[in-house]
Amino acid sequence: MGSSIDSYITLVATSAVLNVFLCLYSYFRRAEIPSSKIFMLYTAALCVYTFGYAIQLASNTLEQMKFWTVVQYMGMPFSASLGLLLMIQYTGKTLSRKATIAMFIIPSITLFMVATNDYHHLFYKQVWLRTDTAVPLMDISIGQWYVVQGAFTFSCLLCACLILIGQWKHTKKMYRRQLLTLITSQLIPMVAAFVYLLGLTPGGLDPVPVLMCITSAMYIWAILSSRLLTIVPIAKDSIFESMREGVLVLDSSNRLVDYNKAMCLMLPELEVSMIGKKWDDIWLSLAGETSPVEYGREGLQTDLYWQLEGHTVCYQVRTSYVFNKGAQVVGILIMLIDITEQRFLQEQLKQMAYFDGLTKIYNRTQFLNKGKEILNEAKLTFRPAAFILFDIDHFKRINDTHGHDVGDKAIIHVVTVCNRYLNSEILFARYGGEEFVIAMPGASLQDGEQLAEQLRIALLNEPLEVEGVRISITSSFGVAQYSGEDDSLESLLRDADRALYESKRNGRNAVFAYSASLA
């Protein structure tokens, strides 16, 4: 029996050494191992457990054995919780902070119970030295809390096995070897502990620490052969749920099959009860219109504007086919990508490039671009086009008397009044400072004079009111007309400017049309 115990102690000590190696390995490779902290704690707990058990077997007195039993329980009960946490993290799942803490309540109570057992005997009813062995060995009679701890350990090992087995069909073949290693690492101690509790082990010795030698060797083999823990497969479900893009899965009949968490946030109106229904019918109930998705093509399709919590958001719609192993289309993925910020920035850049920052009408550069288009159209269709230049009379006096803030309000006021008389075909822009320009496609010189006079009278009759003070605003207008192929936009604007100058020379608040006499 003595030589058998020596061999047993040697195997248990070997298990401890292997766990020390695994603990140190995970520490030095912690940057590469996603679950390094948990794995270090797990292997450290197993080290304490196996070393404590080896020294307990080598002890000569009951007091020494009881002391090293307490040392064992500094690691053993916690290893079950840590092993379960490790397997949960391996499969890409997480536990809340409260749930994680709760997993260590029973192991902590167990450690306290073992350390203070002499005062209550709730863990071991009785502890004594065996008389049927050649070397001193401790025997026990289990107490109530021993049953609780045994059930907890068995439950942790069983849950870890079931979680890993559940991942089998979601794991690619190349990763199944390391998954099988993890399943075995939980299955072996679970079966061994069960056999030990039934009293079927040789000499009544606990087989778990010895079998740890096998599981630790399997870990080392898996690490060296398939880079266990440094390359961890991510379950398809985890990828699907962690995607930032909203994803809908439709079957070959365009019925809703599944959607991820991001889609729930992007379209909160989606409900589980909609699964199995035609996507066109679902979209009609959500948006009140036909679905923008074209099922017959892949890739970028359209931008979708949606009201989310009182704000307008923009989603980019993309589609992708789902194929089976026979390369047949069995469904379609619809992805919504939130591009609200991107579109907002684009709109800001567009505003800065095309529109005047103060008045929100076209700026000078954009007017020149669109004015040339109007002029080219007039040349092709042999139709006229009228151009109007006008500015605010005595604008410097408004600034000097009332301040530049009021000057800005005067410019905005002029634009507001004029917009009431301009249709969508007329091009209106701020030409610079207090000067404005209008282009009228298909309009004659008389049409331009008539509109200019209408605007002049409207501005005269609608003074600007600022803090109860009425400020009279008038404008001077110059009108020119395209009349031949020799005219360019620049020459027409020069003609309108000459007519505007004539309005100012004749007392302002007037409309003048360009004629050859003004050249």
Side-chain angles (χ1 to χ4, degrees), residues 104-138:
F104 293 93
I105 292 176
I106 290 179
S108 299
I109 295 174
T110 296
L111 177 58
F112 175 79
M113 289 290 190
V114 174
T116 59
N117 188 71
D118 288 343
Y119 300 99
H120 49 72
H121 301 288
L122 291 175
F123 196 80
Y124 298 133
K125 287 182 179 179
Q126 190 176 0
V127 179
W128 67 91
L129 286 177
R130 293 172 59 177
T131 59
D132 58 344
T133 58
V135 295
L137 289 177
M138 187 178 79

PDB file of all heavy atoms in Angstrom, residues 104-138:
ATOM      1  N   PHE A 104     -19.570  32.602  -6.806  1.00  0.00           N
ATOM      2  CA  PHE A 104     -18.500  32.342  -5.830  1.00  0.00           C
ATOM      3  C   PHE A 104     -18.990  32.393  -4.387  1.00  0.00           C
ATOM      4  O   PHE A 104     -18.198  32.303  -3.461  1.00  0.00           O
ATOM      5  CB  PHE A 104     -17.364  33.348  -6.033  1.00  0.00           C
ATOM      6  CG  PHE A 104     -16.644  33.170  -7.339  1.00  0.00           C
ATOM      7  CD1 PHE A 104     -17.020  33.882  -8.458  1.00  0.00           C
ATOM      8  CD2 PHE A 104     -15.615  32.252  -7.459  1.00  0.00           C
ATOM      9  CE1 PHE A 104     -16.378  33.709  -9.666  1.00  0.00           C
ATOM     10  CE2 PHE A 104     -14.959  32.069  -8.656  1.00  0.00           C
ATOM     11  CZ  PHE A 104     -15.340  32.796  -9.777  1.00  0.00           C
ATOM     12  N   ILE A 105     -20.313  32.518  -4.220  1.00  0.00           N
ATOM     13  CA  ILE A 105     -20.856  32.568  -2.853  1.00  0.00           C
ATOM     14  C   ILE A 105     -20.718  31.198  -2.177  1.00  0.00           C
ATOM     15  O   ILE A 105     -20.201  31.085  -1.050  1.00  0.00           O
ATOM     16  CB  ILE A 105     -22.326  33.029  -2.875  1.00  0.00           C
ATOM     17  CG1 ILE A 105     -22.414  34.502  -3.321  1.00  0.00           C
ATOM     18  CG2 ILE A 105     -22.950  32.849  -1.487  1.00  0.00           C
ATOM     19  CD1 ILE A 105     -23.835  35.005  -3.471  1.00  0.00           C
ATOM     20  N   ILE A 106     -21.185  30.144  -2.835  1.00  0.00           N
ATOM     21  CA  ILE A 106     -21.109  28.791  -2.233  1.00  0.00           C
ATOM     22  C   ILE A 106     -19.664  28.355  -2.010  1.00  0.00           C
ATOM     23  O   ILE A 106     -19.329  27.843  -0.921  1.00  0.00           O
ATOM     24  CB  ILE A 106     -21.887  27.774  -3.100  1.00  0.00           C
ATOM     25  CG1 ILE A 106     -23.391  28.051  -2.977  1.00  0.00           C
ATOM     26  CG2 ILE A 106     -21.563  26.337  -2.680  1.00  0.00           C
ATOM     27  CD1 ILE A 106     -24.264  27.134  -3.811  1.00  0.00           C
ATOM     28  N   PRO A 107     -18.723  28.528  -2.987  1.00  0.00           N
ATOM     29  CA  PRO A 107     -17.328  28.170  -2.714  1.00  0.00           C
ATOM     30  C   PRO A 107     -16.736  28.923  -1.522  1.00  0.00           C
ATOM     31  O   PRO A 107     -15.962  28.349  -0.742  1.00  0.00           O
ATOM     32  CB  PRO A 107     -16.605  28.547  -4.012  1.00  0.00           C
ATOM     33  CG  PRO A 107     -17.651  28.410  -5.075  1.00  0.00           C
ATOM     34  CD  PRO A 107     -18.908  28.888  -4.420  1.00  0.00           C
ATOM     35  N   SER A 108     -17.108  30.187  -1.360  1.00  0.00           N
ATOM     36  CA  SER A 108     -16.580  30.972  -0.232  1.00  0.00           C
ATOM     37  C   SER A 108     -17.110  30.432   1.089  1.00  0.00           C
ATOM     38  O   SER A 108     -16.362  30.320   2.084  1.00  0.00           O
ATOM     39  CB  SER A 108     -16.971  32.451  -0.391  1.00  0.00           C
ATOM     40  OG  SER A 108     -16.420  32.988  -1.572  1.00  0.00           O
ATOM     41  N   ILE A 109     -18.406  30.091   1.106  1.00  0.00           N
ATOM     42  CA  ILE A 109     -18.993  29.505   2.322  1.00  0.00           C
ATOM     43  C   ILE A 109     -18.335  28.159   2.621  1.00  0.00           C
ATOM     44  O   ILE A 109     -18.054  27.820   3.782  1.00  0.00           O
ATOM     45  CB  ILE A 109     -20.519  29.345   2.157  1.00  0.00           C
ATOM     46  CG1 ILE A 109     -21.184  30.726   2.036  1.00  0.00           C
ATOM     47  CG2 ILE A 109     -21.113  28.566   3.334  1.00  0.00           C
ATOM     48  CD1 ILE A 109     -22.672  30.668   1.717  1.00  0.00           C
ATOM     49  N   THR A 110     -18.065  27.397   1.553  1.00  0.00           N
ATOM     50  CA  THR A 110     -17.425  26.078   1.724  1.00  0.00           C
ATOM     51  C   THR A 110     -16.061  26.220   2.377  1.00  0.00           C
ATOM     52  O   THR A 110     -15.720  25.464   3.307  1.00  0.00           O
ATOM     53  CB  THR A 110     -17.286  25.383   0.364  1.00  0.00           C
ATOM     54  OG1 THR A 110     -18.597  25.126  -0.154  1.00  0.00           O
ATOM     55  CG2 THR A 110     -16.532  24.068   0.498  1.00  0.00           C
ATOM     56  N   LEU A 111     -15.259  27.156   1.898  1.00  0.00           N
ATOM     57  CA  LEU A 111     -13.935  27.372   2.492  1.00  0.00           C
ATOM     58  C   LEU A 111     -14.059  27.713   3.967  1.00  0.00           C
ATOM     59  O   LEU A 111     -13.305  27.188   4.816  1.00  0.00           O
ATOM     60  CB  LEU A 111     -13.196  28.486   1.749  1.00  0.00           C
ATOM     61  CG  LEU A 111     -11.827  28.877   2.300  1.00  0.00           C
ATOM     62  CD1 LEU A 111     -10.878  27.676   2.320  1.00  0.00           C
ATOM     63  CD2 LEU A 111     -11.232  30.033   1.495  1.00  0.00           C
ATOM     64  N   PHE A 112     -15.015  28.566   4.297  1.00  0.00           N
ATOM     65  CA  PHE A 112     -15.232  28.927   5.705  1.00  0.00           C
ATOM     66  C   PHE A 112     -15.663  27.707   6.522  1.00  0.00           C
ATOM     67  O   PHE A 112     -15.180  27.486   7.649  1.00  0.00           O
ATOM     68  CB  PHE A 112     -16.295  30.027   5.787  1.00  0.00           C
ATOM     69  CG  PHE A 112     -16.675  30.392   7.195  1.00  0.00           C
ATOM     70  CD1 PHE A 112     -15.860  31.217   7.966  1.00  0.00           C
ATOM     71  CD2 PHE A 112     -17.846  29.895   7.759  1.00  0.00           C
ATOM     72  CE1 PHE A 112     -16.210  31.539   9.280  1.00  0.00           C
ATOM     73  CE2 PHE A 112     -18.201  30.217   9.062  1.00  0.00           C
ATOM     74  CZ  PHE A 112     -17.380  31.043   9.815  1.00  0.00           C
ATOM     75  N   MET A 113     -16.547  26.892   5.946  1.00  0.00           N
ATOM     76  CA  MET A 113     -17.032  25.706   6.647  1.00  0.00           C
ATOM     77  C   MET A 113     -15.898  24.712   6.923  1.00  0.00           C
ATOM     78  O   MET A 113     -15.812  24.126   8.001  1.00  0.00           O
ATOM     79  CB  MET A 113     -18.122  25.013   5.808  1.00  0.00           C
ATOM     80  CG  MET A 113     -19.425  25.770   5.755  1.00  0.00           C
ATOM     81  SD  MET A 113     -20.271  25.737   7.355  1.00  0.00           S
ATOM     82  CE  MET A 113     -21.858  26.432   6.904  1.00  0.00           C
ATOM     83  N   VAL A 114     -15.031  24.516   5.924  1.00  0.00           N
ATOM     84  CA  VAL A 114     -13.923  23.567   6.106  1.00  0.00           C
ATOM     85  C   VAL A 114     -12.944  24.087   7.163  1.00  0.00           C
ATOM     86  O   VAL A 114     -12.465  23.327   8.017  1.00  0.00           O
ATOM     87  CB  VAL A 114     -13.200  23.323   4.761  1.00  0.00           C
ATOM     88  CG1 VAL A 114     -11.959  22.462   4.962  1.00  0.00           C
ATOM     89  CG2 VAL A 114     -14.143  22.660   3.773  1.00  0.00           C
ATOM     90  N   ALA A 115     -12.656  25.389   7.108  1.00  0.00           N
ATOM     91  CA  ALA A 115     -11.685  25.965   8.047  1.00  0.00           C
ATOM     92  C   ALA A 115     -12.196  25.941   9.483  1.00  0.00           C
ATOM     93  O   ALA A 115     -11.397  25.887  10.426  1.00  0.00           O
ATOM     94  CB  ALA A 115     -11.349  27.396   7.624  1.00  0.00           C
ATOM     95  N   THR A 116     -13.516  25.969   9.652  1.00  0.00           N
ATOM     96  CA  THR A 116     -14.084  26.032  11.017  1.00  0.00           C
ATOM     97  C   THR A 116     -14.874  24.770  11.362  1.00  0.00           C
ATOM     98  O   THR A 116     -15.734  24.785  12.245  1.00  0.00           O
ATOM     99  CB  THR A 116     -15.022  27.264  11.127  1.00  0.00           C
ATOM    100  OG1 THR A 116     -16.079  27.145  10.148  1.00  0.00           O
ATOM    101  CG2 THR A 116     -14.260  28.551  10.891  1.00  0.00           C
ATOM    102  N   ASN A 117     -14.590  23.693  10.672  1.00  0.00           N
ATOM    103  CA  ASN A 117     -15.397  22.472  10.832  1.00  0.00           C
ATOM    104  C   ASN A 117     -15.379  21.926  12.260  1.00  0.00           C
ATOM    105  O   ASN A 117     -16.371  21.344  12.728  1.00  0.00           O
ATOM    106  CB  ASN A 117     -14.906  21.406   9.858  1.00  0.00           C
ATOM    107  CG  ASN A 117     -15.820  20.190   9.832  1.00  0.00           C
ATOM    108  OD1 ASN A 117     -16.927  20.264   9.321  1.00  0.00           O
ATOM    109  ND2 ASN A 117     -15.359  19.081  10.402  1.00  0.00           N
ATOM    110  N   ASP A 118     -14.275  22.105  12.974  1.00  0.00           N
ATOM    111  CA  ASP A 118     -14.181  21.576  14.340  1.00  0.00           C
ATOM    112  C   ASP A 118     -15.212  22.187  15.266  1.00  0.00           C
ATOM    113  O   ASP A 118     -15.511  21.626  16.335  1.00  0.00           O
ATOM    114  CB  ASP A 118     -12.777  21.818  14.905  1.00  0.00           C
ATOM    115  CG  ASP A 118     -11.739  20.917  14.256  1.00  0.00           C
ATOM    116  OD1 ASP A 118     -12.148  19.917  13.634  1.00  0.00           O
ATOM    117  OD2 ASP A 118     -10.536  21.233  14.348  1.00  0.00           O
ATOM    118  N   TYR A 119     -15.792  23.348  14.880  1.00  0.00           N
ATOM    119  CA  TYR A 119     -16.737  24.042  15.760  1.00  0.00           C
ATOM    120  C   TYR A 119     -18.195  23.691  15.457  1.00  0.00           C
ATOM    121  O   TYR A 119     -19.067  23.900  16.305  1.00  0.00           O
ATOM    122  CB  TYR A 119     -16.560  25.549  15.639  1.00  0.00           C
ATOM    123  CG  TYR A 119     -15.175  26.015  16.013  1.00  0.00           C
ATOM    124  CD1 TYR A 119     -14.222  26.282  15.036  1.00  0.00           C
ATOM    125  CD2 TYR A 119     -14.814  26.170  17.351  1.00  0.00           C
ATOM    126  CE1 TYR A 119     -12.942  26.692  15.372  1.00  0.00           C
ATOM    127  CE2 TYR A 119     -13.535  26.583  17.703  1.00  0.00           C
ATOM    128  CZ  TYR A 119     -12.607  26.844  16.702  1.00  0.00           C
ATOM    129  OH  TYR A 119     -11.344  27.246  17.057  1.00  0.00           O
ATOM    130  N   HIS A 120     -18.476  23.166  14.248  1.00  0.00           N
ATOM    131  CA  HIS A 120     -19.878  22.913  13.899  1.00  0.00           C
ATOM    132  C   HIS A 120     -20.098  21.550  13.214  1.00  0.00           C
ATOM    133  O   HIS A 120     -21.216  21.049  13.206  1.00  0.00           O
ATOM    134  CB  HIS A 120     -20.410  24.020  12.976  1.00  0.00           C
ATOM    135  CG  HIS A 120     -19.503  24.312  11.819  1.00  0.00           C
ATOM    136  ND1 HIS A 120     -19.342  23.464  10.755  1.00  0.00           N
ATOM    137  CD2 HIS A 120     -18.679  25.379  11.573  1.00  0.00           C
ATOM    138  CE1 HIS A 120     -18.491  23.988   9.884  1.00  0.00           C
ATOM    139  NE2 HIS A 120     -18.053  25.154  10.360  1.00  0.00           N
ATOM    140  N   HIS A 121     -19.059  20.975  12.623  1.00  0.00           N
ATOM    141  CA  HIS A 121     -19.133  19.669  11.958  1.00  0.00           C
ATOM    142  C   HIS A 121     -20.227  19.610  10.878  1.00  0.00           C
ATOM    143  O   HIS A 121     -20.859  18.568  10.689  1.00  0.00           O
ATOM    144  CB  HIS A 121     -19.371  18.562  12.989  1.00  0.00           C
ATOM    145  CG  HIS A 121     -18.294  18.494  14.024  1.00  0.00           C
ATOM    146  ND1 HIS A 121     -17.018  18.022  13.770  1.00  0.00           N
ATOM    147  CD2 HIS A 121     -18.309  18.880  15.348  1.00  0.00           C
ATOM    148  CE1 HIS A 121     -16.293  18.109  14.866  1.00  0.00           C
ATOM    149  NE2 HIS A 121     -17.044  18.625  15.851  1.00  0.00           N
ATOM    150  N   LEU A 122     -20.431  20.747  10.190  1.00  0.00           N
ATOM    151  CA  LEU A 122     -21.425  20.784   9.118  1.00  0.00           C
ATOM    152  C   LEU A 122     -20.849  20.310   7.780  1.00  0.00           C
ATOM    153  O   LEU A 122     -21.599  19.933   6.882  1.00  0.00           O
ATOM    154  CB  LEU A 122     -21.981  22.205   8.949  1.00  0.00           C
ATOM    155  CG  LEU A 122     -22.846  22.717  10.095  1.00  0.00           C
ATOM    156  CD1 LEU A 122     -23.226  24.172   9.873  1.00  0.00           C
ATOM    157  CD2 LEU A 122     -24.103  21.861  10.233  1.00  0.00           C
ATOM    158  N   PHE A 123     -19.528  20.333   7.663  1.00  0.00           N
ATOM    159  CA  PHE A 123     -18.933  19.870   6.403  1.00  0.00           C
ATOM    160  C   PHE A 123     -18.503  18.398   6.553  1.00  0.00           C
ATOM    161  O   PHE A 123     -18.846  17.567   5.725  1.00  0.00           O
ATOM    162  CB  PHE A 123     -17.746  20.738   6.016  1.00  0.00           C
ATOM    163  CG  PHE A 123     -17.337  20.559   4.574  1.00  0.00           C
ATOM    164  CD1 PHE A 123     -18.042  21.195   3.559  1.00  0.00           C
ATOM    165  CD2 PHE A 123     -16.272  19.752   4.218  1.00  0.00           C
ATOM    166  CE1 PHE A 123     -17.694  21.025   2.223  1.00  0.00           C
ATOM    167  CE2 PHE A 123     -15.912  19.568   2.897  1.00  0.00           C
ATOM    168  CZ  PHE A 123     -16.630  20.215   1.882  1.00  0.00           C
ATOM    169  N   TYR A 124     -17.725  18.118   7.588  1.00  0.00           N
ATOM    170  CA  TYR A 124     -17.380  16.737   7.937  1.00  0.00           C
ATOM    171  C   TYR A 124     -18.005  16.444   9.297  1.00  0.00           C
ATOM    172  O   TYR A 124     -17.719  17.125  10.277  1.00  0.00           O
ATOM    173  CB  TYR A 124     -15.861  16.538   8.042  1.00  0.00           C
ATOM    174  CG  TYR A 124     -15.086  16.798   6.768  1.00  0.00           C
ATOM    175  CD1 TYR A 124     -13.933  17.588   6.787  1.00  0.00           C
ATOM    176  CD2 TYR A 124     -15.476  16.234   5.569  1.00  0.00           C
ATOM    177  CE1 TYR A 124     -13.200  17.807   5.628  1.00  0.00           C
ATOM    178  CE2 TYR A 124     -14.756  16.459   4.409  1.00  0.00           C
ATOM    179  CZ  TYR A 124     -13.627  17.248   4.444  1.00  0.00           C
ATOM    180  OH  TYR A 124     -12.916  17.473   3.312  1.00  0.00           O
ATOM    181  N   LYS A 125     -18.847  15.424   9.372  1.00  0.00           N
ATOM    182  CA  LYS A 125     -19.403  15.041  10.665  1.00  0.00           C
ATOM    183  C   LYS A 125     -18.301  14.495  11.566  1.00  0.00           C
ATOM    184  O   LYS A 125     -18.274  14.747  12.775  1.00  0.00           O
ATOM    185  CB  LYS A 125     -20.482  13.966  10.487  1.00  0.00           C
ATOM    186  CG  LYS A 125     -21.772  14.482   9.893  1.00  0.00           C
ATOM    187  CD  LYS A 125     -22.796  13.353   9.807  1.00  0.00           C
ATOM    188  CE  LYS A 125     -24.113  13.856   9.231  1.00  0.00           C
ATOM    189  NZ  LYS A 125     -25.107  12.756   9.117  1.00  0.00           N
ATOM    190  N   GLN A 126     -17.376  13.772  10.923  1.00  0.00           N
ATOM    191  CA  GLN A 126     -16.295  13.159  11.712  1.00  0.00           C
ATOM    192  C   GLN A 126     -15.082  12.965  10.796  1.00  0.00           C
ATOM    193  O   GLN A 126     -15.205  12.660   9.619  1.00  0.00           O
ATOM    194  CB  GLN A 126     -16.749  11.808  12.278  1.00  0.00           C
ATOM    195  CG  GLN A 126     -15.799  11.212  13.286  1.00  0.00           C
ATOM    196  CD  GLN A 126     -16.350   9.919  13.878  1.00  0.00           C
ATOM    197  OE1 GLN A 126     -17.443   9.473  13.534  1.00  0.00           O
ATOM    198  NE2 GLN A 126     -15.584   9.310  14.755  1.00  0.00           N
ATOM    199  N   VAL A 127     -13.890  13.154  11.383  1.00  0.00           N
ATOM    200  CA  VAL A 127     -12.633  12.953  10.666  1.00  0.00           C
ATOM    201  C   VAL A 127     -11.749  12.044  11.521  1.00  0.00           C
ATOM    202  O   VAL A 127     -11.590  12.268  12.716  1.00  0.00           O
ATOM    203  CB  VAL A 127     -11.918  14.303  10.415  1.00  0.00           C
ATOM    204  CG1 VAL A 127     -10.603  14.073   9.688  1.00  0.00           C
ATOM    205  CG2 VAL A 127     -12.809  15.258   9.636  1.00  0.00           C
ATOM    206  N   TRP A 128     -11.165  11.012  10.895  1.00  0.00           N
ATOM    207  CA  TRP A 128     -10.335  10.083  11.669  1.00  0.00           C
ATOM    208  C   TRP A 128      -9.262   9.475  10.765  1.00  0.00           C
ATOM    209  O   TRP A 128      -9.326   9.578   9.531  1.00  0.00           O
ATOM    210  CB  TRP A 128     -11.185   8.998  12.290  1.00  0.00           C
ATOM    211  CG  TRP A 128     -11.811   8.050  11.287  1.00  0.00           C
ATOM    212  CD1 TRP A 128     -11.291   6.894  10.824  1.00  0.00           C
ATOM    213  CD2 TRP A 128     -13.076   8.201  10.634  1.00  0.00           C
ATOM    214  NE1 TRP A 128     -12.128   6.294   9.941  1.00  0.00           N
ATOM    215  CE2 TRP A 128     -13.253   7.084   9.800  1.00  0.00           C
ATOM    216  CE3 TRP A 128     -14.092   9.181  10.699  1.00  0.00           C
ATOM    217  CZ2 TRP A 128     -14.390   6.910   9.023  1.00  0.00           C
ATOM    218  CZ3 TRP A 128     -15.206   8.987   9.924  1.00  0.00           C
ATOM    219  CH2 TRP A 128     -15.353   7.872   9.099  1.00  0.00           C
ATOM    220  N   LEU A 129      -8.279   8.842  11.410  1.00  0.00           N
ATOM    221  CA  LEU A 129      -7.232   8.139  10.677  1.00  0.00           C
ATOM    222  C   LEU A 129      -7.661   6.707  10.433  1.00  0.00           C
ATOM    223  O   LEU A 129      -8.177   6.027  11.328  1.00  0.00           O
ATOM    224  CB  LEU A 129      -5.918   8.157  11.468  1.00  0.00           C
ATOM    225  CG  LEU A 129      -5.158   9.485  11.505  1.00  0.00           C
ATOM    226  CD1 LEU A 129      -3.922   9.346  12.389  1.00  0.00           C
ATOM    227  CD2 LEU A 129      -4.749   9.923  10.101  1.00  0.00           C
ATOM    228  N   ARG A 130      -7.450   6.259   9.211  1.00  0.00           N
ATOM    229  CA  ARG A 130      -7.816   4.894   8.856  1.00  0.00           C
ATOM    230  C   ARG A 130      -6.842   3.891   9.514  1.00  0.00           C
ATOM    231  O   ARG A 130      -5.653   4.173   9.661  1.00  0.00           O
ATOM    232  CB  ARG A 130      -7.812   4.723   7.337  1.00  0.00           C
ATOM    233  CG  ARG A 130      -8.904   5.535   6.657  1.00  0.00           C
ATOM    234  CD  ARG A 130      -8.780   5.515   5.139  1.00  0.00           C
ATOM    235  NE  ARG A 130      -8.835   4.156   4.602  1.00  0.00           N
ATOM    236  CZ  ARG A 130      -8.810   3.889   3.305  1.00  0.00           C
ATOM    237  NH1 ARG A 130      -8.695   4.893   2.436  1.00  0.00           N
ATOM    238  NH2 ARG A 130      -8.855   2.637   2.889  1.00  0.00           N
ATOM    239  N   THR A 131      -7.368   2.763   9.840  1.00  0.00           N
ATOM    240  CA  THR A 131      -6.544   1.730  10.494  1.00  0.00           C
ATOM    241  C   THR A 131      -6.227   0.555   9.580  1.00  0.00           C
ATOM    242  O   THR A 131      -5.516  -0.370   9.975  1.00  0.00           O
ATOM    243  CB  THR A 131      -7.285   1.202  11.744  1.00  0.00           C
ATOM    244  OG1 THR A 131      -8.555   0.669  11.326  1.00  0.00           O
ATOM    245  CG2 THR A 131      -7.507   2.309  12.756  1.00  0.00           C
ATOM    246  N   ASP A 132      -6.782   0.586   8.370  1.00  0.00           N
ATOM    247  CA  ASP A 132      -6.598  -0.556   7.476  1.00  0.00           C
ATOM    248  C   ASP A 132      -5.537  -0.296   6.414  1.00  0.00           C
ATOM    249  O   ASP A 132      -5.484  -0.981   5.394  1.00  0.00           O
ATOM    250  CB  ASP A 132      -7.924  -0.910   6.792  1.00  0.00           C
ATOM    251  CG  ASP A 132      -8.488   0.267   6.007  1.00  0.00           C
ATOM    252  OD1 ASP A 132      -8.038   1.411   6.234  1.00  0.00           O
ATOM    253  OD2 ASP A 132      -9.381   0.051   5.160  1.00  0.00           O
ATOM    254  N   THR A 133      -4.689   0.730   6.617  1.00  0.00           N
ATOM    255  CA  THR A 133      -3.659   1.059   5.630  1.00  0.00           C
ATOM    256  C   THR A 133      -2.294   1.082   6.295  1.00  0.00           C
ATOM    257  O   THR A 133      -2.165   1.327   7.504  1.00  0.00           O
ATOM    258  CB  THR A 133      -3.928   2.440   4.996  1.00  0.00           C
ATOM    259  OG1 THR A 133      -3.964   3.427   6.023  1.00  0.00           O
ATOM    260  CG2 THR A 133      -5.236   2.435   4.225  1.00  0.00           C
ATOM    261  N   ALA A 134      -1.262   0.845   5.464  1.00  0.00           N
ATOM    262  CA  ALA A 134       0.108   0.817   5.993  1.00  0.00           C
ATOM    263  C   ALA A 134       0.627   2.207   6.306  1.00  0.00           C
ATOM    264  O   ALA A 134       1.538   2.369   7.123  1.00  0.00           O
ATOM    265  CB  ALA A 134       1.031   0.134   4.980  1.00  0.00           C
ATOM    266  N   VAL A 135       0.079   3.189   5.674  1.00  0.00           N
ATOM    267  CA  VAL A 135       0.482   4.588   5.920  1.00  0.00           C
ATOM    268  C   VAL A 135      -0.726   5.343   6.431  1.00  0.00           C
ATOM    269  O   VAL A 135      -1.870   4.964   6.167  1.00  0.00           O
ATOM    270  CB  VAL A 135       1.029   5.233   4.632  1.00  0.00           C
ATOM    271  CG1 VAL A 135       2.320   4.549   4.202  1.00  0.00           C
ATOM    272  CG2 VAL A 135       0.000   5.189   3.531  1.00  0.00           C
ATOM    273  N   PRO A 136      -0.502   6.447   7.156  1.00  0.00           N
ATOM    274  CA  PRO A 136      -1.628   7.212   7.693  1.00  0.00           C
ATOM    275  C   PRO A 136      -2.466   7.840   6.568  1.00  0.00           C
ATOM    276  O   PRO A 136      -1.918   8.514   5.694  1.00  0.00           O
ATOM    277  CB  PRO A 136      -0.957   8.291   8.545  1.00  0.00           C
ATOM    278  CG  PRO A 136       0.422   7.794   8.800  1.00  0.00           C
ATOM    279  CD  PRO A 136       0.796   6.981   7.607  1.00  0.00           C
ATOM    280  N   LEU A 137      -3.757   7.595   6.597  1.00  0.00           N
ATOM    281  CA  LEU A 137      -4.682   8.206   5.644  1.00  0.00           C
ATOM    282  C   LEU A 137      -5.908   8.704   6.393  1.00  0.00           C
ATOM    283  O   LEU A 137      -6.366   8.066   7.343  1.00  0.00           O
ATOM    284  CB  LEU A 137      -5.103   7.204   4.568  1.00  0.00           C
ATOM    285  CG  LEU A 137      -4.045   6.788   3.530  1.00  0.00           C
ATOM    286  CD1 LEU A 137      -4.612   5.734   2.586  1.00  0.00           C
ATOM    287  CD2 LEU A 137      -3.553   7.999   2.737  1.00  0.00           C
ATOM    288  N   MET A 138      -6.444   9.810   5.958  1.00  0.00           N
ATOM    289  CA  MET A 138      -7.602  10.398   6.628  1.00  0.00           C
ATOM    290  C   MET A 138      -8.886   9.884   5.997  1.00  0.00           C
ATOM    291  O   MET A 138      -8.998   9.757   4.770  1.00  0.00           O
ATOM    292  CB  MET A 138      -7.541  11.923   6.513  1.00  0.00           C
ATOM    293  CG  MET A 138      -8.617  12.647   7.313  1.00  0.00           C
ATOM    294  SD  MET A 138      -8.473  14.457   7.212  1.00  0.00           S
ATOM    295  CE  MET A 138      -9.204  14.756   5.604  1.00  0.00           C
TER     296      MET A 138
END
